[in-house]
Amino acid sequence: MDIPWWRDAIVYEIYVRSFSDASGDGVGDLPGIRKRLPYLRDLGVDAIWLTPFYTSPMADGGYDVADYRDVDPLFGTLGDFESLVSDAHELGLRVVVDIVPNHSSDRHPWFREALRGERRERYLFREGGELPPNNWQSTFSGPAWTRVEDGQWYLHLFAPGQPDFNWRDPEVHAEFLDVLRFWLDRGVDGFRIDVAMGLYKAEGLPDVEDQSFTSVSPVWGQPEVHEVYRQWRKVLDSYPGERMAVGEVWTDKAEDLAQYVRPDELHQSFNFAWLQAPWSPTAFKKVIDETMATVPFATWVLSNHDVVRHRTRYDTEDPGTGLKRAKAALLTMLALPGSAYLYQGEELGLPEVKNLPPEARQDPVFFQSEGKLPGRDGCRVPIPWTAGGASFGFSPGDVKPWLPQPEAFGELSAEAQTGQTTSTLEFYRQALTTRRDLVRSLPYTLEWLDSPEGALFFTRGPLTCVLNCGLEPVRLPPYESVLLSSGPLDGGLLPPDTAAWLNRP
């Protein structure tokens, strides 16, 4: 049986504004990405995922879309996108693009019509008097409702510039089916669906006690959403070349996650339980067991554009261990059945940038919380390509990037790490190359081995993966040879905060 490309793929997330700037305005763009495609091929990934590049006023970094069928001039042109797809395919890279169906920009023509009192049924407008219609809160802080001039209120689960669509209106359904076809016709290989569990809200929009992302409530996870993805799956299946969709689904139960990846719905859904797990063999094993038992096609992810980079998360748990743990977690993740999603810059070992000044911050989370929440800018700082220069090679010449980079980025740049056998970049290249040689010969299952305290050992066919989360070295299980390790091994011992791949005897 042929294995679909996405089942075991390594997908590299590109936060477009922060990857590579070719135009010289300090903001990443599509031509900049196109220039760096050979780097991604040589890194060993199978596909790239592009965050939104559509026409947008950038109230939320492009996740506020004003035109779903065009490229914002900040990022290039539609021709630039088509050239990017063509070049990627020539290099053997698939292209996945973000789609944002929960909400649009308040500059979208439909919402402008709604503000004039026309066709408001395409959004969620309600009467509310002097108070909002219910107690729902924006995930960015503050009320989820904004009042317009005629006294009605509109719902925005994110920024006020991101009004939520009313998915009970047939025109919304038809619009997004057409948007899917527009980009599929231009060669995209798949879609990452933003807020995939959020399209429908419960009838009557009742007050809630728990509005957290992971809770199925009147706000999230309504059952009607599954029919949307059944329709989308039919569209995807009508195109050649195994087009796919992966959902951003936040949930606290693997059983709920599995509902989105039934055979006639999405192909994959992000497994945020792995990202949220603490540095613990017990926690890791629990996530792996629950995922493998319930989700048909697993995904694994450690960082993305919305969370603190995992090097820094692990370092916060135990200062000084972050990079070692990040590399060990990566090696463990790559040994698991399923696909893995990487976030740009993690292959360089980039940490979260915590000390951004208030005047530099741009995330609406920071502003809506009146500075109480730092927001997500710290993981979105443009990545360094060269050891020197005004932007470490992110932009040409003396151009400064849209978010300031710390001086330490120079020694973490791709240029500084290339060819250095002990660097994080070369470790990633070796790990991805080794995995590619292995993955198609491995069963889509794993077996646990008896593990010493603080450690996690499992096998997949001829491969044994060992991880030591403890404070003391542990003895390795029997093996013929070491394929790869995240750090030096001490004879027959596995040091703390280290992982290794072994050939079984």
Side-chain angles (χ1 to χ4, degrees):
M1 181 181 68
D2 290 337
I3 298 173
W5 69 266
W6 46 264
R7 195 198 74 167
D8 302 299
I10 301 296
V11 184
Y12 184 98
E13 179 191 355
I14 293 176
Y15 189 71
V16 176
R17 292 194 299 169
S18 297
F19 188 68
S20 182
D21 167 27
S23 67
D25 61 359
V27 179
D29 48 40
L30 299 181
I33 296 169
R34 187 181 175 196
K35 179 176 68 173
R36 303 291 184 182
L37 288 175
Y39 166 87
L40 296 172
R41 174 202 59 197
D42 295 344
L43 182 62
V45 304
D46 301 298
I48 57 173
W49 149 31
L50 305 179
T51 58
F53 49 82
Y54 315 112
T55 306
S56 168
M58 300 294 152
D60 184 22
Y63 282 92
D64 50 314
V65 181
D67 185 346
Y68 287 87
R69 297 176 182 83
D70 203 358
V71 174
D72 194 283
L74 187 66
F75 302 131
T77 66
L78 193 56
D80 289 328
F81 176 80
E82 292 170 341
S83 296
L84 170 60
V85 172
S86 177
D87 285 3
H89 287 168
E90 286 184 11
L91 292 172
L93 298 170
R94 310 270 185 163
V95 179
V96 175
V97 300
D98 237 307
I99 189 167
V100 188
N102 179 71
H103 50 264
S104 74
S105 166
D106 61 357
R107 308 284 181 86
H108 192 287
W110 281 8
F111 195 73
R112 289 175 175 266
E113 289 180 17
L115 291 181
R116 296 195 298 266
E118 305 168 16
R119 305 296 303 277
R120 283 191 176 178
E121 62 270 19
R122 295 184 292 205
Y123 293 90
L124 288 164
F125 279 84
R126 294 292 186 273
E127 301 290 346
E130 295 298 318
L131 296 176
N134 65 23
N135 70 346
W136 294 9
Q137 296 292 297
S138 164
T139 61
F140 289 170
S141 194
W145 296 91
T146 290
R147 199 176 189 187
V148 299
E149 289 185 357
D150 63 11
Q152 283 198 332
W153 300 72
Y154 71 88
L155 179 70
H156 52 85
L157 292 178
F158 297 91
Q162 296 169 287
D164 280 47
F165 284 116
N166 173 23
W167 271 86
R168 300 186 188 281
D169 182 75
E171 194 171 356
V172 176
H173 283 261
E175 169 71 359
F176 277 94
L177 289 171
D178 190 70
V179 168
L180 291 178
R181 294 187 183 100
F182 180 89
W183 294 106
L184 289 166
D185 289 342
R186 279 151 186 81
V188 305
D189 299 286
F191 298 93
R192 178 264 187 186
I193 305 167
D194 188 59
V195 197
M197 74 294 185
L199 310 190
Y200 278 86
K201 286 74 178 174
E203 293 276 16
L205 308 180
D207 285 353
V208 296
E209 294 182 7
D210 182 1
Q211 194 184 308
S212 64
F213 265 146
T214 57
S215 173
V216 175
S217 73
V219 187
W220 313 111
Q222 297 302 296
E224 296 95 327
V225 75
H226 297 287
E227 183 55 36
V228 173
Y229 299 134
R230 292 187 185 101
Q231 293 180 26
W232 288 18
R233 181 61 176 262
K234 291 176 182 177
V235 172
L236 290 164
D237 288 348
S238 72
Y239 281 78
E242 298 178 323
R243 314 297 176 97
M244 58 83 74
V246 55
E248 182 197 24
V249 179
W250 291 89
T251 177
D252 57 1
K253 295 179 181 178
E255 292 82 359
D256 293 334
L257 189 67
Q259 298 300 307
Y260 290 82
V261 289
R262 289 177 285 197
D264 60 345
E265 294 191 39
L266 303 181
H267 300 79
Q268 295 180 327
S269 186
F270 286 125
N271 183 9
F272 294 116
W274 179 252
L275 177 152
Q276 294 170 316
W279 186 251
S280 157
T282 303
F284 288 149
K285 185 176 185 300
K286 181 175 185 292
V287 172
I288 295 168
D289 280 340
E290 290 180 351
T291 301
M292 297 303 297
T294 56
V295 180
F297 298 109
T299 64
W300 312 98
V301 59
L302 288 165
S303 285
N304 63 37
H305 67 281
D306 282 331
V307 301
V308 173
R309 287 185 175 274
H310 64 280
R311 172 180 176 172
T312 298
R313 292 201 312 273
Y314 292 145
D315 204 58
T316 302
E317 293 181 32
D318 193 357
T321 65
L323 184 56
K324 287 184 65 177
R325 290 181 175 182
K327 293 167 70 175
L330 180 277
L331 201 59
T332 305
M333 177 176 78
L334 294 182
L336 296 170
S339 64
Y341 284 75
L342 311 181
Y343 179 48
Q344 66 177 40
E346 71 170 83
E347 77 277 11
L348 304 176
L350 296 186
E352 185 84 357
V353 180
K354 292 184 171 182
N355 59 349
L356 290 169
E359 62 272 17
R361 293 188 178 274
Q362 299 195 27
D363 189 353
V365 172
F366 178 78
F367 298 106
Q368 284 186 221
S369 68
E370 298 180 337
K372 297 182 179 66
L373 300 174
R376 302 158 294 175
D377 291 321
C379 68
R380 299 175 175 184
V381 173
I383 67 175
W385 292 98
T386 61
S391 65
F392 301 109
F394 171 73
S395 293
D398 295 328
V399 176
K400 292 286 188 180
W402 69 279
L403 282 174
Q405 302 156 303
E407 285 301 316
F409 266 28
E411 61 190 39
L412 296 175
S413 67
E415 178 185 64
Q417 294 195 47
T418 296
Q420 301 298 315
T421 57
T422 59
S423 72
T424 305
L425 175 57
E426 294 299 347
F427 168 72
Y428 264 71
R429 287 173 172 164
Q430 189 176 5
L432 295 178
T433 299
T434 304
R435 180 187 183 274
R436 177 171 285 174
D437 293 338
L438 280 173
V439 69
R440 292 299 169 118
S441 65
L442 297 178
Y444 199 84
T445 57
L446 61 80
E447 296 180 11
W448 296 111
L449 299 177
D450 290 336
S451 308
E453 184 177 355
L456 193 69
F457 295 177
F458 64 86
T459 64
R460 284 185 67 196
L463 174 68
T464 296
C465 180
V466 292
L467 169 67
N468 185 3
C469 297
L471 300 177
E472 300 293 334
V474 298
R475 185 157 299 281
L476 292 166
Y479 66 95
E480 283 189 353
S481 61
V482 177
L483 291 172
L484 186 61
S485 63
S486 65
L489 302 183
D490 184 12
L493 299 178
L494 181 69
D497 301 326
T498 304
W501 290 353
L502 311 172
N503 264 323
R504 293 179 69 180

